[in-house]
Amino acid sequence: NNNKNNNRRTNNKKGNSKPETFYRMLCQRRRLPTYKMRDVVIETIENNQVCVVSGDTGCGKTTQVPQLILDDLIWKGKGAEANMIVTQPRRISAIGVSERVASERCEKVGET
């Protein structure tokens, strides 16, 4: 059992820890067009009751905008106040989106 525990510790040193995984994912998110527009997106949402976000497929509208909003609220100390709903036209799409966002945040669907 000690060897198994030592192997687990060693695996974490190889980049499997949650902070390292989150940082790698954040670096990938930063390359998306939506992330590059984060200040405009957040300002627009803050200053308007209704916003329409449009962009090319894969730019991050569905997965990144909710995370940008949440990250902004966390930064402002209001993360616990966040309550968002992201809709998709098909159940399978909604499941995929929720799994993707949870993965990017190093969480599991339904646990936070």
Side-chain angles (χ1 to χ4, degrees):
N1 280 344
N2 283 340
N3 286 339
K4 287 182 182 178
N5 289 336
N6 288 335
N7 287 340
R8 286 184 193 137
R9 287 187 203 115
T10 303
N11 286 341
N12 282 341
K13 290 179 184 176
K14 291 182 181 177
N16 294 332
S17 72
K18 201 171 189 178
E20 290 174 12
T21 302
F22 181 79
Y23 180 73
R24 278 197 313 272
M25 188 61 72
L26 182 60
C27 288
Q28 291 176 347
R29 288 177 54 207
R30 287 179 174 166
R31 289 188 224 133
L32 292 169
T34 302
Y35 192 91
K36 293 173 185 172
M37 297 287 298
R38 70 185 177 280
D39 294 334
V40 173
V41 170
I42 295 300
E43 183 180 334
T44 301
I45 290 169
E46 286 177 343
N47 295 322
N48 296 280
Q49 285 185 323
V50 177
C51 304
V52 176
V53 178
S54 65
D56 293 335
T57 300
C59 73
K61 300 177 300 290
T62 303
T63 59
Q64 300 309 304
V65 171
Q67 291 187 79
L68 294 176
I69 296 166
L70 179 59
D71 291 342
D72 183 64
L73 289 171
I74 290 169
W75 181 256
K76 293 174 180 173
K78 298 180 177 184
E81 297 174 24
N83 188 10
M84 285 181 259
I85 297 171
V86 177
T87 62
Q88 289 290 296
R90 289 173 293 286
R91 183 174 182 265
I92 193 73
S93 299
I95 292 168
V97 167
S98 63
E99 289 172 347
R100 169 71 184 259
V101 171
S103 172
E104 289 183 9
R105 300 194 74 80
C106 297
E107 299 175 1
K108 293 183 180 180
V109 174
E111 290 190 2
T112 58

